[in-house]
């Protein structure tokens, strides 16, 4: 969604719409996640970490289409991105997958949604480069092909990297590290914040 340059009125407008859309979508997504975590999902508390991940979810969701959608569409994309993040995060918890920073819900699921949203939104008649299905366009086919290619590329490199690491015993931490916690063992020396000698 970059303009590449800003040398005339048209590219300045594009830069402006990118700035607006990459502000609106994360704001909406963050508030959606905050509200869902506060009022619907257990433990029903004010979750600042969830709010921050909601903001990231909105940013990831709008990145693909930030220059080709209208601001109201960015709001819808951010709202759906927040819902996608919550669903994926809650789903991982249900199936007991340990993703402590919710990397897959934020980047995987919301990235998937963001690529798809580019094929749904964007009116070709507003001269912003959109060609979404909701306006009779055919961009969705290209976006679906792109997702297939992204999945294939990611899967191929993941297999090529992680299987050899697993075979060499380098993929996971030792039981001692896991029992004590990597923060204690590796990242937070006992005297790191101590003023005593």
């Amino acid at each position: 969604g970059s303009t590449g340059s800003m040398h005339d009125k048209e590219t300045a407008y594009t830069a402006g719409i990118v700035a607006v859309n990459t502000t609106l979508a994360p704001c909406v997504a963050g508030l959606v996640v905050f509200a869902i975590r506060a009022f619907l999902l257990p433990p029903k508390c004010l979750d600042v970490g969830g709010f921050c991940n909601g903001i990231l979810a909105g940013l990831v969701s709008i990145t693909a289409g930030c220059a080709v959608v209208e601001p109201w569409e960015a709001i819808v994309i951010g709202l759906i991105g927040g819902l996608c993040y919550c669903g994926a995060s809650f789903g991982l918890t249900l199936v007991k997958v340990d993703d402590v920073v919710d990397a897959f819900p934020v980047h995987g699921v919301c990235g998937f949604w963001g690529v798809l949203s580019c094929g749904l939104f964007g009116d070709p008649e507003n001269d912003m480069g959109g060609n979404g299905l909701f306006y009779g366009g055919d961009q969705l086919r290209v976006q679906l092909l792109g997702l297939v290619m992204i999945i294939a590329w990611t899967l191929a490199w993941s297999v090529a990297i992680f299987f050899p690491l697993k075979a060499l015993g380098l993929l996971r931490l030792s039981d001692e590290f896991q029992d004590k916690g990597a923060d204690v063992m590796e990242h937070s020396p006992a005297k790191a914040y101590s003023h005593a000698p």
Side-chain angles (χ1 to χ4, degrees):
S2 174
T3 58
S5 65
M6 196 165 60
H7 59 278
D8 59 19
K9 185 178 177 181
E10 185 177 310
T11 54
Y13 176 79
T14 301
I17 203 76
V18 166
V20 168
N21 288 342
T22 55
T23 301
L24 290 173
C27 287
V28 170
L31 291 172
V32 164
V33 171
F34 192 74
I36 288 172
R37 296 252 172 122
F39 302 112
L40 298 175
L41 290 179
K44 294 184 183 178
C45 64
L46 303 178
D47 184 358
V48 176
F51 178 63
C52 292
N53 273 343
I55 292 169
L56 289 172
L59 284 168
V60 171
S61 297
I62 196 59
T63 298
C66 65
V68 298
V69 299
E70 294 286 342
W72 73 267
E73 294 171 312
I75 290 170
V76 173
I77 291 168
L79 186 140
I80 295 171
L83 295 173
C84 288
Y85 164 74
C86 281
S89 178
F90 189 68
L92 286 181
T93 304
L94 287 179
V95 296
K96 300 187 185 307
V97 172
D98 186 18
D99 185 358
V100 294
V101 294
D102 274 346
F104 179 73
V106 169
H107 298 282
V109 174
C110 292
F112 198 93
W113 160 243
V115 172
L116 275 181
S117 71
C118 216
L120 299 172
F121 296 97
D123 187 351
E125 295 192 14
N126 68 12
D127 292 329
M128 290 171 54
N131 192 22
L133 182 67
F134 296 151
Y135 300 97
D138 63 353
Q139 185 66 31
L140 186 59
R141 291 180 300 145
V142 174
Q143 299 306 112
L144 288 170
L145 177 62
L147 285 172
V148 168
M149 299 309 294
I150 290 167
I151 291 167
W153 175 267
T154 304
L155 186 61
W157 279 105
S158 295
V159 168
I161 292 169
F162 291 124
F163 277 132
L165 286 174
K166 184 176 182 180
L168 294 171
L170 300 173
L171 190 56
R172 60 188 297 266
L173 296 173
S174 69
D175 289 338
E176 179 188 8
F177 260 74
Q178 291 188 52
D179 289 342
K180 291 183 179 178
D183 283 342
V184 171
M185 296 288 291
E186 186 81 18
H187 304 294
S188 299
K191 294 183 181 182
Y193 301 104
S194 173
H195 296 291

